[in-house]
Amino acid sequence: MKDLKNNLFKNIDLSLDELISLRRDFHKYAESGWTEFRTASKIADYLKDVGLEVKIGEEVIDINSMMGVPSKERLEEYKKRALSQGAKEEYLNLMKNGATGVVGILDTKKEGETIAFRFDIDSLEGIESDDINHRPTNEGFASINEGNMHACGHDGHAAIGLVLAKAMNNIKEQLKGKILFVFQPAEEGTRGAYSMVNKGILDNVNYLFTGHIGFKSGKLGELVVNTGGFLSTTKLDVYYKGRATHAGATPEKGKNALLAAATAALNLHTLCQHGDGTARINVGVLKAGTGRNVVPDRAEMKIETRGETTEINEYITQRAIKILESAANMYDVTCEVTLAGKAESGYSDKELSLLVKEASNEVSDITNIVEYTSLSGSEDATYMMNKVQQNKGKAVYLMFGTERAADHHNNGFDFNEEVLKVAVKVYATTVLKLYEKEGN
Ligand SMILES: [Zn+2]
Ligand SMILES: [Zn+2]
């Protein structure tokens, strides 16, 4: 086992250049949620080359469970862009309706447990910094897809997943059971995981590992093994519709959607009280009206609720919907609320976290292991973690420390790429530790 590990680590060290070039390729062709056509195509190709069975598109996404999907026109536009940037038509044909997920299956054909690794692959919507001191700009791999930028590190996650799949396939003879490499679209806005869970991708998984690169004050070599405290969240898009009229001549004939939305916004922010724990609400966007002298007939809001538990979040969401509808009644306008994203609360299994810790102690790049950190944010990986745990499996969320050029989601975000190989090593050695524990 010791020789096997040493060889494994040596090979992963040698893969650093490949990890970096994969990450930079995904970075340059950044694609946001449900439009990861090129990204998914490249991932599928790589996994096939490695020798894995590959499933893509509607084979791994339940299209009725997709949340916050862009318009058909936009999907078509981005599909064309992906084709011009090297995506393969055979894969694009399978990614209907923006179903841009991929799963690689390493089947050892020997009896054993099923392990799954999950990686999110989407970029954010935003304009990347063109400052010459921003490394992607300086070194020529800044996003060329206007309005899309990898500012959360999911370009790194995708690269980690691919090289991990190759490393595991190289030692296939020493493995048992199955390993799934799950590449999930649309994590931003917590939109994608639910559809993979509902397709049954996690149904027979005994162990699930996922995580994120970078965290507050994290340095390269630091690892959090027992992340919990995920806030359950709901994202809602709200549309108010009233009647426009001349603001001077016939204001009594108007139905004011702007006032309905403004009334709702103020009242929504009074909601965050709950005896069982933390609750949050945010009206992030409010756009209304068409002109200075017109009674505004339309308003649009993007809001989100969060809760320490799924129940608290559900309570705040239901109260929020009451306020949204009541405000519509007050101004005699209509209100349409659509679900744009959702995630549950979740926790990492302690026992499995300790196993990751034990395994990571053998990775010389790891200098500090923290056993518990509360994320205080939301992640739709919780759908997958909860699914595995409901089936008596175990799940862990890891955080890999790295220096960052700016905060996550900032347009100057970048990270120390050495973290990519550290993550691959931690994941890979954890698999071997699992086998050791099982006495295989
Ligand atoms: Zn993010
Ligand atoms: Zn992220």
Side-chain angles (χ1 to χ4, degrees), residues 120 152-154 157 187-188 212 379 397 408-409:
D120 43 9
C152 200
H154 302 180
H157 296 170
E187 190 284 323
E188 298 295 351
H212 212 293
E379 241 287 1
Y397 193 95
H408 285 83
H409 292 202

Side-chain angles (χ1 to χ4, degrees), residues 216-358:
K216 257 186 221 164
S217 76
K219 299 255 176 325
L220 189 71
E222 292 177 346
L223 175 69
V224 182
V225 293
N226 188 17
T227 312
F230 297 100
L231 299 176
S232 174
T233 184
T234 306
K235 322 289 188 194
L236 300 174
D237 290 339
V238 185
Y239 303 93
Y240 283 108
K241 231 173 159 186
R243 187 192 297 142
T245 184
H246 195 291
T250 51
E252 73 283 2
K253 290 189 179 158
K255 292 187 177 181
N256 198 317
L258 179 150
L259 288 179
T263 301
L266 284 174
N267 285 280
L268 286 167
H269 273 267
T270 66
L271 275 184
C272 282
Q273 298 173 57
H274 202 291
D276 293 343
T278 306
R280 297 260 190 280
I281 191 154
N282 191 50
V283 178
V285 174
L286 195 169
K287 290 183 203 158
T290 51
R292 188 189 308 279
N293 54 359
V294 183
V295 170
D297 68 335
R298 66 195 67 175
E300 184 191 327
M301 290 202 278
K302 290 185 193 294
I303 74 169
E304 59 167 28
T305 62
R306 299 190 199 230
E308 195 171 327
T309 63
T310 303
E311 291 73 27
I312 294 172
N313 179 57
E314 198 50 39
Y315 169 82
I316 303 289
T317 304
Q318 290 313 320
R319 297 284 304 141
I321 290 171
K322 268 233 155 76
I323 286 180
L324 292 165
E325 289 172 349
S326 302
N329 275 338
M330 283 175 75
Y331 291 93
D332 199 18
V333 300
T334 61
C335 172
E336 189 193 324
V337 181
T338 61
L339 182 67
K342 207 169 160 78
E344 298 180 317
S345 56
Y347 66 93
S348 295
D349 283 287
K350 182 95 198 273
E351 202 185 316
L352 192 59
S353 299
L354 291 176
L355 183 130
V356 178
K357 183 180 177 186
E358 207 183 312

